[in-house]
Each structure stands twice: as C-alpha cells, then as structure tokens.
Amino acid sequence: MENKPPEQTLVLIKPDALKNSLTGYVLSLLSETHTGLRFAGAKIVHVHRMLAEQHYVEHRDRDFYAPLLDYIMGLAHYPDEPHKRRVIALVYSGPDAVQKIRDIVGPTNPHVAREKKPGCIRALGTIVTVHDAAGKVGERMDNLIHASAKPAEAEREIKLWFRPNDIPPAMRVYPVEASDAHYYFRDGRLLTTHEPGSLFLLAPGKVAWSSDLETLRLLARGQSAPCPLESVAAKYLINEQS
Ligand code: CDP
Ligand code: MG
C-alpha cells in the first residue's frame, strides 16, 4: 500500500507576538499534545523585503499591502530596534495540518476572532490605524500569527521560507534534487557565474526544491518560468548580512 506523505503547513509567529511575549503561549497551543502535529522545521528569520513581498504577493494591489510589509518585516513594531525585527517560522506536519492550525489561529480580524471564537490565538490581536505617505488613513490587522490557508498555499509558502536542508530528510514532503549548476542572484537577475556583489544561491550537488531548480533552469535559458526568480532567491537572503 502506498503511504501518502503527511500534510504540512507554514506558521509565522509575527513581530507583535514576539513583542508581547506570546511566543511560548502560541507554541503551547500548537504543541503535539494539542494538535497531533509535529515540527518539521523552525527558524528565526529577519525578514528581507523581497521575502515579505513574495509571501504576501496575492495582496500586492490591496490598500493594506504596504503596512502589511512593514508589519511582517518588524518595521512597525520595532522602528528603532532593527536587531529585534524577527519572526519565528515553523513547519508543522501531520494529518489535516492546514485546517487544524487555522482553527486554533482563528479569524483574520482580531475583533471578529474575539466575537466568534474566544480563546483562539488571533482573539489576542488588535487593529491599528495607519497613515500612508500621502496621509491617507487605513487599518492594519495585527493578528499575531500567520498560518497557511490551503494545502497548495502551504507548499508555496514552505518552499519560500525553507530550504530542503532546513527540514530533516525524512520529514520533507515536496520533491528535491541536487543542483547541477552554479546559480547567483544580483539586482533581480539570475547569474550562473559569480560577479562581485552577487548572492550565492546554489552550487552543483546542493539539494534544492525540484520546482525551484525547474524555475532556475528555465530562467537561465532565457525562457519564462512558472514562478518569479525572487520566490526562489528570497530564502537564500534569510539572515544574510544586508
Ligand atoms: O492571514 P490570513 O490568511 O487570515 O488573511 P489574509 O486575508 O491572507 O491577509 C494577510 C494578512 O494581512 C492578515 O493576517 C492581516 O495581518 C493583514 N490584513 C490587514 O491588515 N487588513 C485586512 N483588511 C486584511 C488583512
Ligand atoms: Mg492568507
């Protein structure tokens, strides 16, 4: 009988949860005892703008996009303390992982969360008033946590935030393969030889998500690819000195 790989989901403990010292509480609610799910990956991430933009790409035309990027990058909660700008990125693995975690997380809007689902994580969040550069007033939902909404979204997000080697080999559920070329990134361009100032992505023999390698190979040949180069490169910027 063929064994189906377990479902996985991405969780981000956002900067407002770190600032309010809710990390331990959130981790307790998501613990294996409560959810039956296991950690497959965990890391502390200083979020680069490219990663933030790719993570929230579906919202790029919305009014709340710019404030949302400031929020996930930690700029909103730590304007003067760059060393505190972090999120905790986690991969949880197990049956029905996406929906189980979304249920504990609760509705997007913290006011709705308090009303409809007391006790959920986002019930502890808040809504803040924000002003854009032109002084236009808007709102941002500071809701403490991100969790993938659908299994397909989870796959895209896990591959965006994690390299295969961040996850124990036996817990990887998406195909991987070894690179057969060198790849570098510079100013939005893919390079196959090093140039000063370029970011190293992969060398021959380094394991990568197969879908990322497909994107890199197509782009290196000048063809169009199913995903933007930035969605591959962003994870290699995580915690690099900028
Ligand atoms: O996070 P979730 O999938 O529940 O919601 P979303 O609609 O994908 O929005 C992503 C994030 O943008 C939310 O978690 C909120 O932090 C923020 N947001 C906001 O600030 N204002 C809105 N009207 C909607 C979302
Ligand atoms: Mg969403």
Side-chain angles (χ1 to χ4, degrees):
M1 201 176 72
E2 201 187 320
N3 268 340
K4 227 175 113 208
E7 189 170 286
Q8 295 194 337
T9 191
L10 180 82
V11 166
L12 304 175
I13 303 182
K14 293 176 171 179
D16 48 338
L18 271 74
K19 186 167 182 174
N20 287 291
S21 204
L22 289 169
T23 308
Y25 176 66
V26 168
L27 290 172
S28 293
L29 292 185
L30 301 181
S31 74
E32 187 172 346
T33 318
H34 286 105
T35 60
L37 305 173
R38 291 175 183 217
F39 293 124
K43 56 165 110 171
I44 310 295
V45 178
H46 180 74
V47 182
H48 191 279
R49 184 166 293 274
M50 192 194 293
L51 179 60
E53 286 171 354
Q54 288 299 316
H55 179 71
Y56 283 125
V57 69
E58 65 169 315
H59 299 307
R60 66 177 173 257
D61 298 324
R62 306 291 299 271
D63 282 350
F64 60 83
Y65 183 60
L68 181 56
L69 298 189
D70 285 353
Y71 170 27
I72 200 71
M73 292 171 71
L75 294 161
H77 292 88
Y78 297 110
D80 304 317
E81 296 169 295
H83 59 289
K84 294 189 180 172
R85 293 178 197 152
R86 295 150 300 152
V87 306
I88 299 176
L90 304 155
V91 177
Y92 284 92
S93 193
D96 212 15
V98 170
Q99 198 50 50
K100 267 187 196 153
I101 294 209
R102 283 290 286 200
D103 287 347
I104 296 166
V105 162
T108 305
N109 182 322
H111 293 177
V112 175
R114 277 198 276 286
E115 181 71 22
K116 302 258 187 247
K117 213 163 189 200
C120 74
I121 294 170
R122 284 173 160 178
L124 299 176
T126 186
I127 297 185
V128 293
T129 304
V130 289
H131 303 264
D132 69 12
K136 197 176 143 210
V137 179
E139 282 187 339
R140 190 188 67 230
M141 294 172 188
D142 287 6
N143 54 11
L144 306 166
I145 186 165
H146 167 84
S148 310
K150 299 264 154 33
E153 204 173 283
E155 175 171 353
R156 187 190 81 83
E157 293 175 352
I158 290 167
K159 290 175 173 177
L160 181 65
W161 288 78
F162 285 80
R163 312 173 195 203
N165 283 0
D166 297 327
I167 296 174
M171 299 195 83
R172 294 175 200 154
V173 298
Y174 312 121
V176 300
E177 60 192 273
S179 175
D180 50 7
H182 285 98
Y183 293 107
Y184 301 87
F185 176 83
R186 189 181 175 198
D187 300 331
R189 287 181 307 130
L190 178 65
L191 308 171
T192 49
T193 52
H194 181 260
E195 275 180 17
S198 60
L199 172 76
F200 167 70
L201 304 181
L202 285 165
K206 271 277 176 199
V207 171
W209 302 118
S210 299
S211 54
D212 278 0
L213 281 172
E214 186 194 333
T215 295
L216 293 175
R217 287 185 191 122
L218 287 166
L219 292 175
R221 290 201 294 264
Q223 296 172 313
S224 61
C227 302
L229 175 57
E230 286 74 10
S231 73
V232 176
K235 70 181 87 47
Y236 296 96
L237 278 164
I238 287 178
N239 297 335
E240 286 293 320
Q241 191 74 47
S242 57

